[in-house]
Every structure is written in C-alpha cells, then in structure tokens.
Amino acid sequence: MSVFAKLPQLVERAGNGGPRGGSITAFYTVLTEGDDPNDPIADAARAVLDGHLVLSRQIAETGLYPAIDVEASISRLMPLVTTTEQQKLIRRFRQLNAAYAQNRDLITIGAYAKGSDPRVDEAIQHWPEMQKFLQQDGNESIALAESVAALRALGHLLHRHAGKPYVVKLTSWNTLFCDVVAEAFFKLAGSALVTREAILGTVGEVLKRVREERDPIERVRRRVLENGMAKEDELKTIDAQLRAIVTAEAVGRPRFA
C-alpha cells in the first residue's frame, strides 16, 4: 500500500470519538525537500487536513519567531470558531501582509515608488505594528482573549487609516441654492421694508452657513481631518493640484459645447 493511501487513514484516527470515547487533536509535521511547497507529500497532506501552518526558513532567518508564513497558512475551521468581526480583522491583516510580501524586494532596494499602490503604501506604514503582532517569545504565553484584543486594536488602526474612498450623499448645488433662497425669503417675510441689500445680505449669510453644513466637499474634508487621514496642509496641496489640473484641461476649450 502506498503512502498516499496510508496518509488519510493516519489522519482520520484523530478527531471526535464515539459517545463513550474521547477526542484526539493531532498536529502532524511534514518535512519537505528543499522547502518545496509543491512536494507531493505536502500536497496530499494539505488535501486531507483541516488546516496547515507553513514554517518558513526565510522568515526564521530574519529573526522573526514563530516563523509562520501567514500567506501560505490556512485554517478551514476558522469560520466555525471565530466571530464575523474577527474574520474581517483577519482578512484585512492578511491582505496588507500579502501586499507587503509581494513587493518586499522592491521595498527593500528602494525601487518602490510611494503612491503607486494605496494598499502597499498602507502596508509599509503599518508594517512595524504588524510584525510586532506576529512575534512571540518561546517562553511567552498569550491567552486567546489577549490575542483577539491585540488584533482588534491593530485592526482599529488599520481601519482608521484604510485607503478606502468615502461615499457620501452628494447634494446638487441647484437644490442647495433653492433651499438658500427659500430660507432667506422666509427670514425676510416679516420685514416691513425689504431692500436689495437686505436680500443679498440675508442670502449671503444663509449661503455661508449652508455651505459649512451641507457642502459635500466641505463634509468630506471635515471627515478626513476628523479621522486623521490627512492634515490641513496636505488637503491644501491636493486642492491646489486639482485646481491646476482643471485649469490646464479647461485652457483652449470652449465654455459651451
């Protein structure tokens, strides 16, 4: 009988027993020749096991322990023993970890240009925190609750600085203008004498307040500043760049088609 036929029989010995029996949790060690992940035995083991932790010689050489390759490791039982929140945090962590790993060579030699990929930029920014989360001393014992709390704290940091676009409800300026005029005339309705200056002053006052409260661009700007995604100077620089692009595009073009 071949080893490929024996392997499932060996693996199936572990698991839940009968009503009067116990259960066996087994960790099988598979050594591959030359650290080849496509080794036939390793492939067969991955096919019958509930999950696998891949140890990397390259990670161990960097001094990071346990030297687990997060990208190559997987647990098929994870969705059954974790909450929806934990699964979202794990997926987010794995995405950034993979983004950094796939561009590691470019980052190391300084060939990666910042801004080429927002996800890679974010991975570089948070890489020290991510590496710290993955490290554990051999004599250190960390409870599940502590690990989940650390992942949640890290996930909050990643979510806060996530390079995702904000989706806001945009209101057309036509609608805003109608609201402004209606409110201004409502304020002037009780006046005995309505002058042009009074109308313009009231409209300007209302327009300023409405712009501060309801202008979609101003709302996005406030949200970005509140969440620490950018600083005031950075927003001013972006605004200047956008104005320059719009002006350059508009030069030489007719006002109306």
Side-chain angles (χ1 to χ4, degrees):
M1 182 177 292
S2 70
V3 66
F4 297 103
K6 281 281 189 181
L7 195 58
Q9 297 178 9
L10 176 64
V11 170
E12 292 301 326
R13 290 181 181 179
N16 295 327
R20 300 177 62 86
S23 61
I24 301 174
T25 300
F27 288 86
Y28 299 100
T29 302
V30 180
L31 301 177
T32 60
E33 185 177 356
D35 294 337
D36 182 11
N38 297 317
D39 181 90
I41 301 298
D43 264 344
R46 282 197 296 264
V48 297
L49 294 172
D50 292 327
H52 50 268
L53 298 174
V54 178
L55 300 181
S56 168
R57 188 190 305 273
Q58 183 179 5
I59 295 177
E61 290 173 351
T62 65
L64 177 63
Y65 293 98
I68 298 175
D69 187 339
V70 176
E71 279 190 275
S73 303
I74 194 172
S75 171
R76 296 182 179 88
L77 296 180
M78 186 187 72
L80 303 178
V81 296
T82 55
T83 64
T84 303
E85 179 201 9
Q86 292 169 1
Q87 293 171 26
K88 290 180 179 179
L89 292 173
I90 292 169
R91 282 197 297 269
R92 178 77 179 144
F93 185 95
R94 290 176 67 96
Q95 288 170 356
L96 293 183
N97 185 79
Y100 189 97
Q102 292 167 7
N103 294 271
R104 186 189 303 274
D105 293 340
L106 293 177
I107 297 171
T108 303
I109 65 176
Y112 174 77
K114 184 178 180 181
S116 302
D117 188 334
R119 180 166 293 179
V120 177
D121 293 340
E122 188 179 355
I124 295 174
Q125 180 181 356
H126 299 298
W127 189 245
E129 291 91 347
M130 295 170 64
Q131 289 289 88
K132 183 179 179 180
F133 175 77
L134 291 175
Q135 293 185 42
Q136 181 177 343
D137 189 82
N139 299 321
E140 185 180 8
S141 177
I142 300 178
L144 175 61
E146 296 179 42
S147 181
V148 172
L151 179 61
R152 186 178 290 113
L154 180 59
H156 174 72
L157 178 65
L158 300 180
H159 176 74
R160 180 180 179 185
H161 296 281
K164 297 180 180 179
Y166 271 94
V167 180
V168 296
K169 181 181 178 182
L170 300 180
T171 306
S172 69
W173 275 109
N174 288 335
T175 304
L176 286 178
F177 182 74
C178 291
D179 291 347
V180 168
V181 173
E183 183 174 340
F185 275 97
F186 179 78
K187 284 189 172 186
L188 294 171
S191 301
L193 179 63
V194 180
T195 63
R196 180 175 181 273
E197 288 74 15
I199 294 176
L200 293 178
T202 305
V203 169
E205 175 188 341
V206 176
L207 180 60
K208 180 180 179 181
R209 181 183 58 77
V210 170
R211 180 176 182 182
E212 292 176 352
E213 295 177 357
R214 298 174 56 185
D215 180 10
I217 298 177
E218 184 64 24
R219 284 159 52 197
V220 172
R221 178 182 168 278
R222 287 201 304 267
R223 184 70 63 85
V224 169
L225 292 174
E226 289 171 1
N227 286 273
M229 299 180 65
K231 297 180 180 179
E232 184 72 35
D233 294 341
E234 294 174 333
L235 292 183
K236 289 182 179 179
T237 301
I238 294 174
D239 182 67
Q241 293 173 346
L242 290 176
R243 290 178 183 274
I245 293 173
V246 172
T247 302
E249 290 292 325
V251 171
R253 295 188 180 185
R255 183 177 179 83
F256 300 101

